[in-house]
């Protein structure tokens, strides 16, 4: 569930995530699928940077509530990004959404979080040549 107080960093990530569907729609309406994909990647990159800065894995044992609060915004951003990926890679999007506890791909920020599920990466890693 969302933390009681949203940190500034989470608010910025939320704003990016909430703007994503309109950005993707506008790019696709203009027949610019590369721009749509780039917008999705930008959100995922911002979520990764947020995780790097907050490092919830360091506080998970000593302060689980703080770790959960730090994870909330990046996971919500990932969920929204996965929903927007559906036209490009529907199988990957379904896998990510199911792992994030939202197999129905409900739009919008702040959905009640389902149970996270572990599994292999939804996309195979590129093997070195």
């Amino acid at each position: 569930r969302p933390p009681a107080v949203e940190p500034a960093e989470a608010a910025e990530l939320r704003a990016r995530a909430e703007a994503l569907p309109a950005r993707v729609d506008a790019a696709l309406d203009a027949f610019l699928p590369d721009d749509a994909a780039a917008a999705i990647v930008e959100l995922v990159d911002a979520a990764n940077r947020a995780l790097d800065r907050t490092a919830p894995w360091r506080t998970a044992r000593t302060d689980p509530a703080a770790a959960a609060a730090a994870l909330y915004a990046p996971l919500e951003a990932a969920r929204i990004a996965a929903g927007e990926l559906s036209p490009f890679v529907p199988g990957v999007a379904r896998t990510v959404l199911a792992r994030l506890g939202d197999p129905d791909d409900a739009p919008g920020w702040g959905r009640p979080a389902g149970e996270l599920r572990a599994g292999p990466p939804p996309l195979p890693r590129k093997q070195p040549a």
Side-chain angles (χ1 to χ4, degrees):
R1 82 167 116 211
V5 176
E6 185 175 62
E9 182 172 33
E12 178 186 332
L13 197 51
R14 178 183 183 159
R16 284 177 177 255
E18 288 176 333
L20 182 64
R23 288 184 67 197
V24 169
D25 289 350
L28 293 177
D29 286 347
F31 299 102
L32 299 169
D34 289 349
D35 289 358
I40 296 167
V41 169
E42 286 173 18
L43 177 60
V44 172
D45 286 346
N48 281 331
R49 286 191 302 274
L51 286 171
D52 286 342
R53 282 191 294 275
T54 59
W57 52 88
R58 290 190 185 129
T59 59
R61 290 184 188 195
T62 58
D63 192 351
L71 282 169
Y72 184 79
L75 289 177
E76 269 295 275
R79 185 183 63 77
I80 290 170
E84 292 299 317
L85 276 175
S86 292
F88 303 100
V89 283
V92 171
R94 277 192 303 275
T95 298
V96 172
L97 288 167
R99 290 199 188 147
L100 292 174
D102 187 15
D104 299 327
D105 182 22
W109 187 271
R111 295 265 308 144
E115 185 176 329
L116 297 177
R117 293 173 181 86
L123 288 171
R125 292 199 180 262
K126 187 175 180 181
Q127 299 298 319

